[in-house]
Every structure is written in structure tokens, then in C-alpha cells.
Amino acid sequence: MGKKTSVIVLGAGIVGTCTALHLQQRGHEVVLIDKGDPGQETSYGNSCLIQQESVEPYAFPRSFSALARMALGLGADVHWHANAIPSLAKPLWQYYQNSAPAKHEAITQKYSRLIAHATSEHASLIAATASEDLIQREGFRFVYRSQAAFAEGVARAHRLQRDYGVRHAVLSGDQLAAAEPALQQEMAGAIHWLDPWKVNAPGELVQRYANLFASNGGEIVKEQVLCLGQNTTRPGHSNSKGWQVDTDKGKFEAEQVVIAMGPWSHDFVKRMGYDLPLFIKRGYHQHFQQPKNLNLAMLDAEKGFVLIPTKYGIRLTTGAEFAHINAAPTPIQLQKTQKLALALIGLSEPEPKPPWMGSRPCTADMLPIMGPAPAHQGLWFNFGHGHQGFTLGPMAGRLMAEMISGEPTFVEPVPYLPARFGG
Ligand SMILES: Cc1cc2nc3c(=O)[nH]c(=O)nc-3n(C[C@H](O)[C@H](O)[C@H](O)COP(=O)(O)OP(=O)(O)OC[C@H]3O[C@@H](n4cnc5c(N)ncnc54)[C@H](O)[C@@H]3O)c2cc1C
């Protein structure tokens, strides 16, 4: 193992918290900084799934009909703000190009190597934090309305099983109705993915991981990070560390800094001079108290929303909204999908709170950015985990800690390094 250093991790979502834990396990002195409590942003509001089945990253739609539907805002799965498009045009165009079948297949090879460690890396942290009460290990379902989409879904599931060992069971409409009595509509059928896990309260799981870090002597600081910079040697400060982080309340120094601020990372790395093809896909959720609960989470594969039984009731989560991160919420997809969900499982009134909104931190090549910053010694990036950041957090934390420690890594890191986009 390499030298023990002092490290500041910026952001206590699932990625930053797991990074801090893995660094701590390797003997580093770690400070974890977040403006709020751990796991209360994107890592709280997601669809609660540890997606061991998700070996293929989400491709940008390529058929003319799908693009036209998106452009005209006809479906419930995608929504966009016109004023965000100019700043999104470049990464979205690259994303579109990377979604061509041959490129997407090559990306899937790399992505699947990360997903392979999803449940096993969570498992050790779930055990260490005695969090079994939050975990359901029975998979989840894609449900289909039409026979044509169901047949396509079945063919895809067979392909993923053949190529990547993704286990699944196919359910006819009748079998689905028997398995999920809460369903009120006749469906064509379902794919039951057998390997994913569901977390009843994802933010709480992150909080427990953070508590483990704190109980092992780690320092968690609740302050807003304003900027970071490299220290230059100052007279009388010969022992000053390599990096300084300024917050709204004070200053912190360490030899190394990890940026793990999920969708907020872009702004910070831009200020450090890095032009990375990052963008966000916003999403919403709303909770509903449900007399007839669902047995398993389900994705309505044709309408693009997810229904998840959670500690808070049924959580309905939406698809992608292309918008500026700070633009006012426009929960149109939630309004559309709530009607669909009402017909599907008879939802009760939503809880009387504004909908939650968050942002998936996405990259144009659909792969996370994990590794050393090309132009700054002691600066590390761990963000861009997109649609599966909750799934990938523990493996991303371990990979980062192994790289910082100079250990052999359990996953070959080259495809995910920031340097793939140049210096
Ligand atoms: C609707 C929706 C559904 C999803 N469903 C799933 C799913 O089922 N499974 C899955 O694997 N993934 C899912 N995702 C994606 C997943 O939630 C994210 O990829 C993941 O949570 C990102 O984790 P993170 O730690 O990188 O970011 P975050 O959880 O957002 O953490 C970043 C942290 O940085 C902090 N921060 C930001 N700026 C500052 C600052 N200036 N100073 C101090 N702290 C700061 C924030 O407070 C935050 O705690 C979903 C996302 C959405 C939006």
C-alpha cells in the first residue's frame, strides 16, 4: 500500500461517502464535507434500486419517431426546457453519436464491468452498518402494455442474459396479475430482473454508511464549499498542505482532494479549467400512501416511470428532464405519469408536499469519470455516475481509494479516467 495522506472529499452523496469510507479503511486521514447531511440530495430521491441488471447505459433514442415524440414533448418520459438546449447542445450531440449501436455496444462492455460489482460492493457496507432492514433482494420488474414492446423487451432480456449473464424471468400478463394483485390494468407481460436489490430508504442507507465513517473516527463537516485551490508555499507556512478548500464557515487543508459532488461537480471542475462533456438529466418523485402495496418495484417500460414501495409509501419517479440545474421545477412529467399510475395501480392522494426534484449527473460517453485530474497533482474526480450512481457508489468509492493509495485496482480504471477527454 502507498503512503497515507490527508484527503478532503467534497460531497457526501453515495459516491463521496463511499469514497471517504474506503479511504479511511486504508488508513488515510479523511474529512468529508457537504452542505447538508449525508445522502440527502440525488442519493436520497432516486428510484431506490441497486441495478445489478443495468449493464447497458441508457442510450439516446435514435429512431425518427422517438426523436419526434421527444422534440414535440408528446410522451411522459422526456421533457426539456428550450433555454437549456444551447448549453446542452454539445454534450447531447456527443451523447447521440455515442448511442449509435456499435459505439453503444463498446461502451456497454466497459459499463458492465462496473455494474458487475454493484451488489457485492454494497453487501459489505450493508453488513458493516447492520442495514438489512432497508434491503429487499427480490429484484424488480419492467412491465409492458403492448405485445410488440413486450416481445422486444423479452428479446433484449435474452440477449443480456446470453452476453452478460443478467438473470431474469419472463411473466405473461396473467402471471404478472397474479404476482402483483395491486395492478388494475391488463398488461401484456413483464420481465422480472432477478438480481437487483431495492433499498427502502436510499438516503438513510447513505446516512448509515456515513455514520460508520464517523464512528471510525472520520470527520464530517456540514458546510457549503465555495472554492478550492492549490496552496503555494507561503513564508512561515512551510508545512502547508497541497490543497485548500474554502467553505462558508472556514478553510480546510489536505494533501489530496476528491470532487464527488454529483451534479454540482461540473461547475467546480469548469472553474479549475476542465472542459468535460457533462450534463444533467433532472427527475422528480412524489410519495403516495397506498392501501394496496406493490410487492416489487416496477418500471412502466413504455411510459417511462417507476413505482417503488418504500418506507415513505409508494414513490413515483420520472424520466429525464433536460434543463438547467437551478431552473425552477416544472413537474409536467409527474403530472402526466401520476394519471397513468392512477389507472395502473389506483394511487391514493399524493402526500401534501411539493415534489422532490434532483439531477442525474451524466456524461456524453455514458461512463463515469473516476481518477486523477490530468493537470493538477493531488486532485481527483469521482462523478458522472448518471442513471446508476446509487448502484455504483460503493464500487466507485473503492476504485478511487485504491487509486489514491497506489494499490492494484480491482477494476481496470483506464476507460473511466478523466484523461480520456484530454488534458
Ligand atoms: C429520479 C432519479 C431516479 C434515479 N434512480 C436511480 C436508481 O434507482 N438507481 C441508481 O443507481 N441510481 C439512480 N439515480 C441516479 C443516482 O441517484 C445518482 O447517480 C447518484 O445519487 C449520484 O450520487 P452522487 O454522490 O454522485 O451525488 P449526490 O447524491 O447528489 O451527492 C452530491 C453531494 O454534494 C453536495 N454538494 C453539492 N454542492 C456542494 C457544495 N457547494 N458544498 C458542499 N456540498 C455540496 C450535495 O449536498 C450532495 O450531498 C436516479 C436519479 C434520479 C434523479
Side-chain angles (χ1 to χ4, degrees):
M1 192 188 292
K3 185 175 154 264
K4 308 279 181 291
T5 60
S6 54
V7 189
I8 296 173
V9 178
L10 304 180
I14 184 78
V15 174
T17 299
C18 292
T19 302
L21 260 175
H22 277 284
L23 284 165
Q24 181 185 57
Q25 283 170 8
R26 286 161 179 79
H28 299 284
E29 188 192 311
V30 188
V31 177
L32 177 61
I33 307 183
D34 199 294
K35 61 183 165 56
D37 289 324
Q40 294 312 302
E41 292 286 352
T42 333
S43 299
Y44 154 76
N46 53 52
S47 302
C48 314
L49 296 166
I50 301 177
Q51 289 188 262
Q52 187 76 28
E53 91 300 344
S54 189
V55 292
E56 277 186 334
Y58 282 103
F60 199 93
R62 292 187 61 85
S63 75
F64 179 75
S65 60
L67 287 171
R69 251 182 74 246
M70 240 176 77
L72 298 171
L74 296 181
D77 46 350
V78 179
H79 183 244
W80 48 277
H81 289 188
N83 65 1
I85 299 306
S87 61
L88 287 175
K90 191 174 159 200
L92 282 189
W93 173 240
Q94 291 170 347
Y95 176 29
Y96 175 77
Q97 289 176 313
N98 283 325
S99 301
K103 284 195 175 163
H104 187 246
E105 171 56 31
I107 289 168
T108 298
Q109 302 271 344
K110 296 170 187 163
Y111 198 68
S112 61
R113 281 180 226 139
L114 304 178
I115 291 289
H117 301 280
T119 49
S120 56
E121 288 302 313
H122 266 282
S124 48
L125 298 179
I126 290 166
T129 55
S131 297
E132 283 301 329
D133 57 311
L134 295 180
I135 311 298
Q136 187 190 30
R137 290 186 166 81
E138 290 158 40
F140 80 106
R141 299 191 181 99
F142 279 17
V143 301
Y144 294 88
R145 291 162 182 264
S146 68
Q147 287 300 340
F150 181 39
E152 264 182 45
V154 171
R156 175 175 177 267
H158 288 337
R159 177 172 58 77
L160 294 184
Q161 177 137 23
R162 183 196 66 209
D163 295 348
Y164 298 98
V166 177
R167 296 186 318 129
H168 68 276
V170 176
L171 276 73
S172 67
D174 287 345
Q175 287 168 323
L176 173 62
E180 205 56 274
L183 273 176
Q184 297 183 347
Q185 263 179 304
E186 209 177 301
M187 303 295 279
I191 309 291
H192 181 171
W193 304 105
L194 300 170
D195 296 322
W197 295 351
K198 193 207 65 180
V199 182
N200 287 330
E204 194 173 325
L205 188 66
V206 180
Q207 182 77 62
R208 292 191 195 180
Y209 291 177
N211 290 347
L212 177 65
F213 168 74
S215 66
N216 288 338
E219 186 182 353
I220 302 179
V221 174
K222 192 167 161 180
E223 294 178 18
Q224 167 109 18
V225 176
L226 302 177
C227 62
L228 72 154
Q230 259 172 318
N231 275 334
T232 46
T233 311
R234 291 163 288 162
H237 291 80
S238 55
N239 61 353
S240 98
K241 308 258 178 70
W243 286 89
Q244 178 171 306
V245 173
D246 291 2
T247 71
D248 54 346
K249 298 198 186 109
K251 290 185 196 304
F252 296 83
E253 286 187 341
E255 288 154 90
Q256 324 240 15
V257 172
V258 181
I259 299 182
M261 291 193 278
W264 293 276
S265 305
H266 195 184
D267 183 35
F268 276 83
V269 296
K270 239 192 333 208
R271 286 196 252 151
M272 306 292 298
Y274 294 95
D275 180 21
L276 299 174
L278 290 160
F279 62 98
I280 54 150
K281 291 183 189 171
R282 301 202 310 186
Y284 298 83
H285 85 220
Q286 185 98 51
H287 293 140
F288 301 82
Q289 291 315 317
Q290 192 67 358
K292 244 196 201 171
N293 215 345
L294 283 175
N295 290 323
L296 294 183
M298 62 168 71
L299 165 80
D300 186 323
E302 288 169 76
K303 301 295 182 188
F305 65 93
V306 188
L307 292 166
I308 316 115
T310 72
K311 184 177 166 174
Y312 316 101
I314 298 270
R315 178 179 284 189
L316 188 167
T317 58
T318 64
E321 182 179 66
F322 295 99
H324 289 304
I325 192 165
N326 294 324
T330 47
I332 288 164
Q333 290 161 293
L334 207 49
Q335 288 152 17
K336 288 184 182 173
T337 53
Q338 194 177 322
K339 280 194 199 130
L340 294 163
L342 184 70
L344 195 61
I345 63 162
L347 288 177
S348 59
E349 280 300 301
E351 67 174 20
K353 263 193 180 165
W356 173 88
M357 183 184 80
S359 302
R360 300 168 183 92
C362 299
T363 62
D365 68 0
M366 293 166 258
L367 297 172
I369 299 179
M370 305 185 285
H376 294 88
Q377 209 186 348
L379 180 65
W380 301 81
F381 296 164
N382 203 359
F383 48 75
H385 300 81
H387 285 257
Q388 274 86 37
F390 192 77
T391 300
L392 294 173
M395 74 73 48
R398 176 172 164 193
L399 182 61
M400 178 71 19
E402 288 175 346
M403 283 192 269
I404 292 176
S405 306
E407 289 175 25
T409 54
F410 77 123
V411 168
E412 165 54 52
V414 170
Y416 322 104
L417 296 178
R420 71 185 188 270
F421 301 113

